[in-house]
């Protein structure tokens, strides 16, 4: 049984963003010589999440728009520190979990044709994130 872990430093900036991490995940798996097992992707922040959806082709912006509709950036939130609407950022992980566990087969992520591993960050107050990758196989 193999266990390998690392962290990625990800600069997301001061605007809502969706960042594709699929390449970094694949590189990590290659670097540790992964064959068969599971990759856990975890963002240890109270205001960010991981999504496994299509990247590009407008899906990134559609996801942010949908989150904006569900969680408007207004002053209605009880959690009031930070920029206006920051309380909604703390609700995001309930809809977009801070982790994903993915199968690894023959050293590669076993994703569907259009699936990618994405960091979702709506928090404009925190421009830097950490993502932990852990392989168990």
């Amino acid at each position: 049984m193999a266990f390998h872990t690392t962290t990625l430093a990800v600069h997301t900036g001061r605007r809502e963003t969706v960042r594709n991490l699929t390449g970094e995940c694949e590189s990590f798996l290659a670097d540790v010589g992964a064959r068969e097992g599971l990759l856990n992707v975890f963002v240890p922040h109270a205001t960010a999440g991981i999504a496994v959806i299509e990247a590009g082709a407008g899906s990134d912006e559609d996801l942010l728009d949908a989150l904006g509709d569900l969680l408007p950036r207004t002053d209605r939130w009880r959690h009031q520190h930070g920029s206006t609407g920051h309380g909604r950022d703390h609700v995001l992980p309930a809809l977009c979990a801070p982790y994903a566990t993915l199968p690894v087969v023959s050293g590669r992520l076993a994703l569907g044709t259009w699936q990618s591993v994405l960091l979702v960050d709506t928090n404009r107050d925190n421009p830097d994130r950490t993502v932990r990758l852990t392989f168990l196989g």
Side-chain angles (χ1 to χ4, degrees), residues 19-31:
R19 165 83 185 282
N20 192 336
L21 300 175
T22 309
E24 287 99 327
C25 291
E26 293 280 3
S27 292
F28 169 69
L29 293 172
D31 290 348

Side-chain angles (χ1 to χ4, degrees), residues 1-8 23-40 104 106-109 132-137:
M1 192 67 95
F3 177 88
H4 301 278
T5 191
T6 193
T7 57
L8 306 173
E24 287 99 327
C25 291
E26 293 280 3
S27 292
F28 169 69
L29 293 172
D31 290 348
V32 300
R35 297 302 309 145
E36 314 294 325
L38 296 172
L39 176 69
N40 181 265
V104 176
S106 299
R108 298 195 43 102
L109 287 173
R132 177 165 296 281
L133 306 178
T134 304
F135 173 73
L136 180 62

Side-chain angles (χ1 to χ4, degrees), residues 58-123:
S59 298
D60 306 18
E61 293 83 7
D62 288 342
L63 175 58
L64 290 175
D65 286 348
L67 290 171
D69 290 343
L70 291 169
L71 305 170
R73 187 169 291 287
T74 65
D75 62 0
R76 68 176 257 192
W77 304 97
R78 289 179 190 91
H79 189 102
Q80 294 268 331
H81 77 87
S83 62
T84 300
H86 176 65
R88 56 98 62 159
D89 300 327
H90 287 273
V91 177
L92 170 73
L95 301 176
C96 187
Y99 61 88
T101 301
L102 307 162
V104 176
V105 178
S106 299
R108 298 195 43 102
L109 287 173
L111 295 171
T113 302
W114 301 110
Q115 289 180 317
S116 296
V117 181
L118 307 175
L119 170 64
V120 181
D121 186 1
T122 60
N123 184 353

